[in-house]
Amino acid sequence: MTQLSKTSRSRGWRKSNVTPEEINLRQAQRQELGARCRTIFECLRPQLIDNHYNCFIAIDAESENYLIDPKLEGLLEPKGILTLEVVEADY
């Protein structure tokens, strides 16, 4: 009887072509964006706690617009028309 060999399937991560410098740059960009969004959020927080407690928020750091939805899926699914609340920053 002939034994058939099975091809091994690795569940490990594929090797990335991204350099360590690129990884560090991306991480710095994410942290900078997070800090900008956090600043906007801190300005909005008192108003959000009163009116939208326990809701999800998505912030656009460039325009300072934000979306609020009681469910995370509401922010993730594409919609035909998006209503943005414009915020005047006091900082």
Side-chain angles (χ1 to χ4, degrees):
M1 179 186 276
T2 305
Q3 183 177 11
L4 299 174
S5 62
K6 295 182 180 180
T7 58
S8 64
R9 294 184 181 173
S10 173
R11 291 187 176 223
W13 296 99
R14 295 180 190 215
K15 289 187 178 182
S16 175
N17 292 333
V18 181
T19 65
E21 293 81 15
E22 180 69 20
I23 292 171
N24 291 337
L25 176 64
R26 291 178 186 181
Q27 183 177 11
Q29 289 172 338
R30 278 194 311 273
Q31 289 175 344
E32 189 267 334
L33 178 62
R36 289 172 49 207
C37 290
R38 173 59 80 176
T39 302
I40 296 167
F41 174 75
E42 291 300 330
C43 293
L44 296 171
R45 184 164 48 167
Q47 171 188 339
L48 294 173
I49 289 174
D50 291 341
N51 302 327
H52 303 285
Y53 187 77
N54 212 20
C55 289
F56 291 91
I57 182 169
I59 300 172
D60 179 15
E62 298 297 321
S63 66
E64 298 184 1
N65 291 336
Y66 59 94
L67 297 171
I68 298 173
D69 199 281
K71 295 184 179 181
L72 180 60
E73 293 81 20
L75 294 176
L76 299 177
E77 63 188 32
K79 297 177 182 177
I81 300 174
L82 296 176
T83 303
L84 300 178
E85 296 183 39
V86 180
V87 179
E88 295 289 328
D90 295 331
Y91 50 92

